[in-house]
Amino acid sequence: MYLNKIEQALNENITKMAERIDNYSTKGCIAKERGDRELEIMIEKLQSQTLLTLQSLQDSRHVLVELKRAVHSDLFFDRFKQILQLQLGESEKRLIILYFVDKILVSPERPLQEMYRQNVFESFGLHPAGQSTES
């Protein structure tokens, strides 16, 4: 599943940021022992920036977990169907169909049935962090 790939990339980046913070901490201690205040300040700035990045990645992972929970509980698709049927104009419905609907089954014996894409997020061209968009 596409969300699992994003989660894996997030986890890898979180691990890298945590390792980078530890590395900066070690280098900061060495700079302090040597009395190099300028290097120590620079390392503290890098460590602070990396900590902000780490917190952002952790927040993103939390949002992703909630999104996965909604997708797996079918709340996402139930709400999606409700919005599609009750709250959108014709042009908006066409866009939704373009991005999310894989096929529509029409039969004289059954009502119209929409078949949604298995990976609705892939159609947006999103790439997990750390993955190149170039071929």
Side-chain angles (χ1 to χ4, degrees):
M1 178 183 218
Y2 186 68
L3 293 178
N4 290 334
K5 289 179 185 178
I6 293 174
E7 183 176 31
Q8 180 182 359
L10 275 172
N11 287 334
E12 289 171 7
N13 285 326
I14 287 170
T15 300
K16 287 178 187 176
M17 290 300 117
E19 290 170 356
R20 195 173 288 172
I21 289 169
D22 288 342
N23 191 3
Y24 288 145
S25 180
T26 301
K27 289 181 180 187
C29 288
I30 292 170
K32 189 173 188 172
E33 288 174 3
R34 293 185 178 172
D36 191 342
R37 185 68 185 142
E38 188 178 331
L39 179 60
E40 190 179 348
I41 290 170
M42 186 177 74
I43 290 172
E44 286 174 1
K45 286 181 184 178
L46 289 171
Q47 192 173 18
S48 294
Q49 291 171 349
T50 306
L51 184 59
L52 290 174
T53 302
L54 176 63
Q55 290 169 340
S56 175
L57 288 169
Q58 289 171 333
D59 291 343
S60 296
R61 182 174 56 185
H62 176 71
V63 169
L64 182 66
V65 167
E66 293 299 315
L67 180 60
K68 282 177 63 176
R69 193 173 294 142
V71 169
H72 289 298
S73 70
D74 289 330
L75 292 175
F76 179 82
F77 293 106
D78 287 342
R79 179 72 176 133
F80 179 77
K81 285 180 184 179
Q82 181 183 15
I83 290 171
L84 184 63
Q85 292 171 354
L86 302 175
Q87 297 177 352
L88 299 179
E90 290 303 313
S91 60
E92 294 163 323
K93 286 181 183 180
R94 286 186 185 113
L95 286 174
I96 295 293
I97 289 169
L98 176 68
Y99 286 111
F100 295 103
V101 176
D102 189 32
K103 58 187 164 188
I104 298 174
L105 301 177
V106 180
S107 169
E109 299 89 34
R110 293 183 159 166
L112 183 90
Q113 185 178 7
E114 303 96 0
M115 303 297 290
Y116 296 100
R117 293 183 185 190
Q118 290 294 320
N119 188 354
V120 295
F121 302 101
E122 192 172 52
S123 65
F124 294 120
L126 300 174
H127 299 279
Q131 220 178 27
S132 174
T133 58
E134 297 177 9
S135 302

